[in-house]
PDB file of all heavy atoms in Angstrom:
ATOM      1  N   LEU V 580     126.945 173.671  92.913  1.00 97.00           N
ATOM      2  CA  LEU V 580     126.253 172.844  93.898  1.00 97.00           C
ATOM      3  C   LEU V 580     126.471 173.395  95.306  1.00 97.00           C
ATOM      4  O   LEU V 580     125.550 173.371  96.139  1.00 97.00           O
ATOM      5  CB  LEU V 580     126.748 171.402  93.808  1.00 97.00           C
ATOM      6  CG  LEU V 580     126.252 170.582  92.610  1.00 97.00           C
ATOM      7  CD1 LEU V 580     126.902 169.211  92.604  1.00 97.00           C
ATOM      8  CD2 LEU V 580     124.734 170.437  92.643  1.00 97.00           C
ATOM      9  N   SER V 581     127.673 173.875  95.589  1.00 97.00           N
ATOM     10  CA  SER V 581     127.945 174.453  96.904  1.00 97.00           C
ATOM     11  C   SER V 581     127.068 175.684  97.143  1.00 97.00           C
ATOM     12  O   SER V 581     126.525 175.869  98.248  1.00 97.00           O
ATOM     13  CB  SER V 581     129.427 174.818  97.006  1.00 97.00           C
ATOM     14  OG  SER V 581     129.719 175.405  98.249  1.00 97.00           O
ATOM     15  N   ARG V 582     126.902 176.493  96.126  1.00 96.00           N
ATOM     16  CA  ARG V 582     126.057 177.690  96.263  1.00 96.00           C
ATOM     17  C   ARG V 582     124.594 177.300  96.470  1.00 96.00           C
ATOM     18  O   ARG V 582     123.895 177.903  97.300  1.00 96.00           O
ATOM     19  CB  ARG V 582     126.207 178.556  95.009  1.00 96.00           C
ATOM     20  CG  ARG V 582     125.384 179.824  95.022  1.00 96.00           C
ATOM     21  CD  ARG V 582     125.657 180.648  93.771  1.00 96.00           C
ATOM     22  NE  ARG V 582     124.853 181.856  93.754  1.00 96.00           N
ATOM     23  CZ  ARG V 582     123.611 181.921  93.279  1.00 96.00           C
ATOM     24  NH1 ARG V 582     123.061 180.841  92.743  1.00 96.00           N
ATOM     25  NH2 ARG V 582     122.938 183.056  93.308  1.00 96.00           N
ATOM     26  N   GLU V 583     124.129 176.293  95.721  1.00 96.00           N
ATOM     27  CA  GLU V 583     122.737 175.863  95.861  1.00 96.00           C
ATOM     28  C   GLU V 583     122.492 175.265  97.248  1.00 96.00           C
ATOM     29  O   GLU V 583     121.447 175.519  97.870  1.00 96.00           O
ATOM     30  CB  GLU V 583     122.397 174.829  94.773  1.00 96.00           C
ATOM     31  CG  GLU V 583     122.490 175.344  93.347  1.00 96.00           C
ATOM     32  CD  GLU V 583     121.356 176.285  92.993  1.00 96.00           C
ATOM     33  OE1 GLU V 583     120.405 176.411  93.805  1.00 96.00           O
ATOM     34  OE2 GLU V 583     121.404 176.909  91.912  1.00 96.00           O
ATOM     35  N   LEU V 584     123.439 174.470  97.756  1.00 96.00           N
ATOM     36  CA  LEU V 584     123.280 173.891  99.088  1.00 96.00           C
ATOM     37  C   LEU V 584     123.313 174.968 100.172  1.00 96.00           C
ATOM     38  O   LEU V 584     122.594 174.885 101.177  1.00 96.00           O
ATOM     39  CB  LEU V 584     124.380 172.858  99.344  1.00 96.00           C
ATOM     40  CG  LEU V 584     124.205 171.505  98.647  1.00 96.00           C
ATOM     41  CD1 LEU V 584     125.476 170.670  98.767  1.00 96.00           C
ATOM     42  CD2 LEU V 584     123.029 170.752  99.242  1.00 96.00           C
ATOM     43  N   LEU V 585     124.134 175.981  99.958  1.00 95.00           N
ATOM     44  CA  LEU V 585     124.201 177.076 100.923  1.00 95.00           C
ATOM     45  C   LEU V 585     122.864 177.808 101.011  1.00 95.00           C
ATOM     46  O   LEU V 585     122.447 178.247 102.092  1.00 95.00           O
ATOM     47  CB  LEU V 585     125.318 178.047 100.522  1.00 95.00           C
ATOM     48  CG  LEU V 585     125.617 179.202 101.481  1.00 95.00           C
ATOM     49  CD1 LEU V 585     126.148 178.662 102.811  1.00 95.00           C
ATOM     50  CD2 LEU V 585     126.621 180.168 100.860  1.00 95.00           C
ATOM     51  N   GLU V 586     122.161 177.910  99.878  1.00 94.00           N
ATOM     52  CA  GLU V 586     120.877 178.602  99.866  1.00 94.00           C
ATOM     53  C   GLU V 586     119.760 177.757 100.468  1.00 94.00           C
ATOM     54  O   GLU V 586     118.846 178.281 101.114  1.00 94.00           O
ATOM     55  CB  GLU V 586     120.508 179.007  98.437  1.00 94.00           C
ATOM     56  CG  GLU V 586     121.410 180.082  97.854  1.00 94.00           C
ATOM     57  CD  GLU V 586     121.015 180.441  96.433  1.00 94.00           C
ATOM     58  OE1 GLU V 586     120.130 179.747  95.878  1.00 94.00           O
ATOM     59  OE2 GLU V 586     121.597 181.394  95.876  1.00 94.00           O
ATOM     60  N   MET V 587     119.798 176.439 100.247  1.00 94.00           N
ATOM     61  CA  MET V 587     118.687 175.597 100.692  1.00 94.00           C
ATOM     62  C   MET V 587     118.845 175.096 102.130  1.00 94.00           C
ATOM     63  O   MET V 587     117.870 174.742 102.772  1.00 94.00           O
ATOM     64  CB  MET V 587     118.522 174.404  99.738  1.00 94.00           C
ATOM     65  CG  MET V 587     119.613 173.354  99.854  1.00 94.00           C
ATOM     66  SD  MET V 587     119.348 171.931  98.766  1.00 94.00           S
ATOM     67  CE  MET V 587     119.571 172.669  97.154  1.00 94.00           C
ATOM     68  N   ARG V 588     120.062 175.033 102.629  1.00 95.00           N
ATOM     69  CA  ARG V 588     120.288 174.516 103.976  1.00 95.00           C
ATOM     70  C   ARG V 588     120.079 175.614 105.029  1.00 95.00           C
ATOM     71  O   ARG V 588     120.182 176.802 104.733  1.00 95.00           O
ATOM     72  CB  ARG V 588     121.722 173.963 104.096  1.00 95.00           C
ATOM     73  CG  ARG V 588     122.028 172.816 103.157  1.00 95.00           C
ATOM     74  CD  ARG V 588     121.260 171.567 103.540  1.00 95.00           C
ATOM     75  NE  ARG V 588     121.679 171.112 104.864  1.00 95.00           N
ATOM     76  CZ  ARG V 588     120.863 170.570 105.754  1.00 95.00           C
ATOM     77  NH1 ARG V 588     119.586 170.416 105.480  1.00 95.00           N
ATOM     78  NH2 ARG V 588     121.319 170.192 106.939  1.00 95.00           N
ATOM     79  N   PRO V 589     119.773 175.230 106.272  1.00 94.00           N
ATOM     80  CA  PRO V 589     119.600 176.237 107.332  1.00 94.00           C
ATOM     81  C   PRO V 589     120.858 177.065 107.547  1.00 94.00           C
ATOM     82  O   PRO V 589     121.963 176.670 107.170  1.00 94.00           O
ATOM     83  CB  PRO V 589     119.271 175.379 108.570  1.00 94.00           C
ATOM     84  CG  PRO V 589     118.717 174.108 108.025  1.00 94.00           C
ATOM     85  CD  PRO V 589     119.441 173.873 106.738  1.00 94.00           C
ATOM     86  N   PHE V 590     120.676 178.210 108.180  1.00 92.00           N
ATOM     87  CA  PHE V 590     121.770 179.172 108.368  1.00 92.00           C
ATOM     88  C   PHE V 590     122.903 178.542 109.168  1.00 92.00           C
ATOM     89  O   PHE V 590     122.687 177.905 110.202  1.00 92.00           O
ATOM     90  CB  PHE V 590     121.232 180.420 109.082  1.00 92.00           C
ATOM     91  CG  PHE V 590     122.271 181.468 109.332  1.00 92.00           C
ATOM     92  CD1 PHE V 590     122.914 182.110 108.286  1.00 92.00           C
ATOM     93  CD2 PHE V 590     122.632 181.801 110.640  1.00 92.00           C
ATOM     94  CE1 PHE V 590     123.870 183.082 108.520  1.00 92.00           C
ATOM     95  CE2 PHE V 590     123.595 182.770 110.885  1.00 92.00           C
ATOM     96  CZ  PHE V 590     124.216 183.409 109.820  1.00 92.00           C
ATOM     97  N   GLN V 591     124.149 178.730 108.659  1.00 90.00           N
ATOM     98  CA  GLN V 591     125.390 178.261 109.281  1.00 90.00           C
ATOM     99  C   GLN V 591     125.438 176.735 109.413  1.00 90.00           C
ATOM    100  O   GLN V 591     126.112 176.199 110.289  1.00 90.00           O
ATOM    101  CB  GLN V 591     125.581 178.910 110.660  1.00 90.00           C
ATOM    102  CG  GLN V 591     125.887 180.399 110.584  1.00 90.00           C
ATOM    103  CD  GLN V 591     126.221 181.005 111.939  1.00 90.00           C
ATOM    104  OE1 GLN V 591     125.929 180.406 112.986  1.00 90.00           O
ATOM    105  NE2 GLN V 591     126.828 182.185 111.921  1.00 90.00           N
ATOM    106  N   THR V 592     124.705 176.045 108.526  1.00 93.00           N
ATOM    107  CA  THR V 592     124.770 174.582 108.498  1.00 93.00           C
ATOM    108  C   THR V 592     125.867 174.164 107.529  1.00 93.00           C
ATOM    109  O   THR V 592     125.871 174.605 106.376  1.00 93.00           O
ATOM    110  CB  THR V 592     123.431 173.986 108.046  1.00 93.00           C
ATOM    111  OG1 THR V 592     122.421 174.426 108.941  1.00 93.00           O
ATOM    112  CG2 THR V 592     123.494 172.466 108.054  1.00 93.00           C
ATOM    113  N   PRO V 593     126.811 173.315 107.940  1.00 95.00           N
ATOM    114  CA  PRO V 593     127.905 172.942 107.031  1.00 95.00           C
ATOM    115  C   PRO V 593     127.442 171.945 105.971  1.00 95.00           C
ATOM    116  O   PRO V 593     126.437 171.242 106.127  1.00 95.00           O
ATOM    117  CB  PRO V 593     128.931 172.303 107.979  1.00 95.00           C
ATOM    118  CG  PRO V 593     128.110 171.743 109.094  1.00 95.00           C
ATOM    119  CD  PRO V 593     126.965 172.692 109.274  1.00 95.00           C
ATOM    120  N   HIS V 594     128.168 171.915 104.900  1.00 96.00           N
ATOM    121  CA  HIS V 594     127.962 170.910 103.854  1.00 96.00           C
ATOM    122  C   HIS V 594     129.301 170.670 103.159  1.00 96.00           C
ATOM    123  O   HIS V 594     130.212 171.509 103.230  1.00 96.00           O
ATOM    124  CB  HIS V 594     126.903 171.361 102.844  1.00 96.00           C
ATOM    125  CG  HIS V 594     127.297 172.579 102.067  1.00 96.00           C
ATOM    126  ND1 HIS V 594     126.970 173.857 102.480  1.00 96.00           N
ATOM    127  CD2 HIS V 594     128.007 172.728 100.915  1.00 96.00           C
ATOM    128  CE1 HIS V 594     127.451 174.737 101.616  1.00 96.00           C
ATOM    129  NE2 HIS V 594     128.092 174.079 100.653  1.00 96.00           N
ATOM    130  N   LYS V 595     129.407 169.525 102.505  1.00 96.00           N
ATOM    131  CA  LYS V 595     130.650 169.165 101.837  1.00 96.00           C
ATOM    132  C   LYS V 595     130.331 168.413 100.554  1.00 96.00           C
ATOM    133  O   LYS V 595     129.498 167.506 100.557  1.00 96.00           O
ATOM    134  CB  LYS V 595     131.521 168.300 102.747  1.00 96.00           C
ATOM    135  CG  LYS V 595     132.858 167.905 102.131  1.00 96.00           C
ATOM    136  CD  LYS V 595     133.666 167.030 103.059  1.00 96.00           C
ATOM    137  CE  LYS V 595     134.986 166.613 102.413  1.00 96.00           C
ATOM    138  NZ  LYS V 595     135.772 165.706 103.298  1.00 96.00           N
ATOM    139  N   ILE V 596     131.005 168.799  99.477  1.00 97.00           N
ATOM    140  CA  ILE V 596     130.812 168.153  98.173  1.00 97.00           C
ATOM    141  C   ILE V 596     132.105 167.454  97.790  1.00 97.00           C
ATOM    142  O   ILE V 596     133.185 168.057  97.835  1.00 97.00           O
ATOM    143  CB  ILE V 596     130.414 169.193  97.101  1.00 97.00           C
ATOM    144  CG1 ILE V 596     129.099 169.860  97.478  1.00 97.00           C
ATOM    145  CG2 ILE V 596     130.306 168.531  95.734  1.00 97.00           C
ATOM    146  CD1 ILE V 596     128.713 171.001  96.576  1.00 97.00           C
ATOM    147  N   THR V 597     131.977 166.192  97.423  1.00 96.00           N
ATOM    148  CA  THR V 597     133.127 165.395  97.002  1.00 96.00           C
ATOM    149  C   THR V 597     132.921 164.961  95.554  1.00 96.00           C
ATOM    150  O   THR V 597     131.887 164.355  95.227  1.00 96.00           O
ATOM    151  CB  THR V 597     133.302 164.154  97.893  1.00 96.00           C
ATOM    152  OG1 THR V 597     133.393 164.564  99.255  1.00 96.00           O
ATOM    153  CG2 THR V 597     134.553 163.381  97.502  1.00 96.00           C
ATOM    154  N   MET V 598     133.865 165.291  94.699  1.00 96.00           N
ATOM    155  CA  MET V 598     133.800 164.887  93.292  1.00 96.00           C
ATOM    156  C   MET V 598     134.533 163.560  93.110  1.00 96.00           C
ATOM    157  O   MET V 598     135.552 163.302  93.768  1.00 96.00           O
ATOM    158  CB  MET V 598     134.429 165.953  92.396  1.00 96.00           C
ATOM    159  CG  MET V 598     133.899 167.361  92.628  1.00 96.00           C
ATOM    160  SD  MET V 598     132.127 167.546  92.282  1.00 96.00           S
ATOM    161  CE  MET V 598     132.138 167.338  90.506  1.00 96.00           C
ATOM    162  N   ALA V 599     134.023 162.722  92.233  1.00 96.00           N
ATOM    163  CA  ALA V 599     134.698 161.458  91.926  1.00 96.00           C
ATOM    164  C   ALA V 599     136.079 161.746  91.349  1.00 96.00           C
ATOM    165  O   ALA V 599     136.258 162.688  90.568  1.00 96.00           O
ATOM    166  CB  ALA V 599     133.866 160.639  90.946  1.00 96.00           C
ATOM    167  N   SER V 600     137.054 160.931  91.743  1.00 95.00           N
ATOM    168  CA  SER V 600     138.421 161.164  91.266  1.00 95.00           C
ATOM    169  C   SER V 600     138.519 160.976  89.758  1.00 95.00           C
ATOM    170  O   SER V 600     139.273 161.673  89.086  1.00 95.00           O
ATOM    171  CB  SER V 600     139.394 160.221  91.984  1.00 95.00           C
ATOM    172  OG  SER V 600     139.004 158.871  91.786  1.00 95.00           O
ATOM    173  N   ASN V 601     137.764 160.043  89.206  1.00 95.00           N
ATOM    174  CA  ASN V 601     137.712 159.821  87.759  1.00 95.00           C
ATOM    175  C   ASN V 601     136.264 159.494  87.399  1.00 95.00           C
ATOM    176  O   ASN V 601     135.862 158.331  87.411  1.00 95.00           O
ATOM    177  CB  ASN V 601     138.646 158.685  87.337  1.00 95.00           C
ATOM    178  CG  ASN V 601     138.852 158.627  85.841  1.00 95.00           C
ATOM    179  OD1 ASN V 601     138.013 159.085  85.070  1.00 95.00           O
ATOM    180  ND2 ASN V 601     139.967 158.077  85.417  1.00 95.00           N
ATOM    181  N   PRO V 602     135.438 160.512  87.120  1.00 95.00           N
ATOM    182  CA  PRO V 602     133.998 160.278  86.965  1.00 95.00           C
ATOM    183  C   PRO V 602     133.634 159.265  85.899  1.00 95.00           C
ATOM    184  O   PRO V 602     132.613 158.581  86.029  1.00 95.00           O
ATOM    185  CB  PRO V 602     133.458 161.672  86.606  1.00 95.00           C
ATOM    186  CG  PRO V 602     134.463 162.623  87.140  1.00 95.00           C
ATOM    187  CD  PRO V 602     135.785 161.942  86.999  1.00 95.00           C
ATOM    188  N   THR V 603     134.420 159.147  84.842  1.00 94.00           N
ATOM    189  CA  THR V 603     134.058 158.235  83.763  1.00 94.00           C
ATOM    190  C   THR V 603     134.503 156.802  84.013  1.00 94.00           C
ATOM    191  O   THR V 603     133.881 155.865  83.506  1.00 94.00           O
ATOM    192  CB  THR V 603     134.670 158.727  82.440  1.00 94.00           C
ATOM    193  OG1 THR V 603     136.095 158.848  82.592  1.00 94.00           O
ATOM    194  CG2 THR V 603     134.094 160.067  82.038  1.00 94.00           C
ATOM    195  N   LEU V 604     135.571 156.603  84.788  1.00 96.00           N
ATOM    196  CA  LEU V 604     136.125 155.256  84.972  1.00 96.00           C
ATOM    197  C   LEU V 604     135.906 154.681  86.358  1.00 96.00           C
ATOM    198  O   LEU V 604     136.139 153.487  86.561  1.00 96.00           O
ATOM    199  CB  LEU V 604     137.637 155.266  84.680  1.00 96.00           C
ATOM    200  CG  LEU V 604     138.078 155.220  83.228  1.00 96.00           C
ATOM    201  CD1 LEU V 604     139.589 155.180  83.135  1.00 96.00           C
ATOM    202  CD2 LEU V 604     137.481 154.027  82.499  1.00 96.00           C
ATOM    203  N   ASP V 605     135.481 155.498  87.324  1.00 96.00           N
ATOM    204  CA  ASP V 605     135.390 155.004  88.693  1.00 96.00           C
ATOM    205  C   ASP V 605     134.386 153.872  88.843  1.00 96.00           C
ATOM    206  O   ASP V 605     134.549 153.008  89.711  1.00 96.00           O
ATOM    207  CB  ASP V 605     135.027 156.153  89.640  1.00 96.00           C
ATOM    208  CG  ASP V 605     136.259 156.949  90.044  1.00 96.00           C
ATOM    209  OD1 ASP V 605     137.373 156.490  89.739  1.00 96.00           O
ATOM    210  OD2 ASP V 605     136.109 158.027  90.648  1.00 96.00           O
ATOM    211  N   ALA V 606     133.328 153.865  88.038  1.00 97.00           N
ATOM    212  CA  ALA V 606     132.363 152.764  88.116  1.00 97.00           C
ATOM    213  C   ALA V 606     133.021 151.444  87.724  1.00 97.00           C
ATOM    214  O   ALA V 606     132.843 150.425  88.395  1.00 97.00           O
ATOM    215  CB  ALA V 606     131.164 153.047  87.219  1.00 97.00           C
ATOM    216  N   TRP V 607     133.796 151.450  86.645  1.00 97.00           N
ATOM    217  CA  TRP V 607     134.489 150.219  86.234  1.00 97.00           C
ATOM    218  C   TRP V 607     135.559 149.839  87.257  1.00 97.00           C
ATOM    219  O   TRP V 607     135.709 148.658  87.599  1.00 97.00           O
ATOM    220  CB  TRP V 607     135.133 150.412  84.861  1.00 97.00           C
ATOM    221  CG  TRP V 607     135.700 149.128  84.307  1.00 97.00           C
ATOM    222  CD1 TRP V 607     135.067 148.232  83.508  1.00 97.00           C
ATOM    223  CD2 TRP V 607     137.015 148.602  84.537  1.00 97.00           C
ATOM    224  NE1 TRP V 607     135.900 147.183  83.220  1.00 97.00           N
ATOM    225  CE2 TRP V 607     137.106 147.377  83.837  1.00 97.00           C
ATOM    226  CE3 TRP V 607     138.119 149.042  85.253  1.00 97.00           C
ATOM    227  CZ2 TRP V 607     138.253 146.595  83.839  1.00 97.00           C
ATOM    228  CZ3 TRP V 607     139.268 148.257  85.265  1.00 97.00           C
ATOM    229  CH2 TRP V 607     139.336 147.059  84.566  1.00 97.00           C
ATOM    230  N   LEU V 608     136.292 150.818  87.749  1.00 97.00           N
ATOM    231  CA  LEU V 608     137.339 150.520  88.724  1.00 97.00           C
ATOM    232  C   LEU V 608     136.740 149.984  90.022  1.00 97.00           C
ATOM    233  O   LEU V 608     137.299 149.070  90.646  1.00 97.00           O
ATOM    234  CB  LEU V 608     138.155 151.786  89.000  1.00 97.00           C
ATOM    235  CG  LEU V 608     138.962 152.338  87.821  1.00 97.00           C
ATOM    236  CD1 LEU V 608     139.592 153.672  88.178  1.00 97.00           C
ATOM    237  CD2 LEU V 608     140.029 151.344  87.387  1.00 97.00           C
ATOM    238  N   GLY V 609     135.583 150.542  90.443  1.00 96.00           N
ATOM    239  CA  GLY V 609     134.933 150.032  91.640  1.00 96.00           C
ATOM    240  C   GLY V 609     134.436 148.616  91.464  1.00 96.00           C
ATOM    241  O   GLY V 609     134.567 147.776  92.368  1.00 96.00           O
ATOM    242  N   ALA V 610     133.864 148.312  90.292  1.00 97.00           N
ATOM    243  CA  ALA V 610     133.418 146.945  90.016  1.00 97.00           C
ATOM    244  C   ALA V 610     134.599 145.988  89.949  1.00 97.00           C
ATOM    245  O   ALA V 610     134.510 144.830  90.389  1.00 97.00           O
ATOM    246  CB  ALA V 610     132.624 146.921  88.714  1.00 97.00           C
ATOM    247  N   SER V 611     135.712 146.453  89.393  1.00 97.00           N
ATOM    248  CA  SER V 611     136.910 145.617  89.324  1.00 97.00           C
ATOM    249  C   SER V 611     137.448 145.316  90.718  1.00 97.00           C
ATOM    250  O   SER V 611     137.830 144.173  91.022  1.00 97.00           O
ATOM    251  CB  SER V 611     137.972 146.313  88.469  1.00 97.00           C
ATOM    252  OG  SER V 611     139.158 145.558  88.413  1.00 97.00           O
TER     253      SER V 611
END
Side-chain angles (χ1 to χ4, degrees):
L580 285 176
S581 179
R582 180 177 179 274
E583 297 287 351
L584 284 169
L585 185 65
E586 292 179 353
M587 72 178 68
R588 299 291 297 144
F590 180 64
Q591 291 186 343
T592 302
H594 64 268
K595 181 181 179 182
I596 299 173
T597 305
M598 309 298 292
S600 57
N601 193 335
T603 57
L604 280 182
D605 277 350
W607 188 92
L608 295 173
S611 178

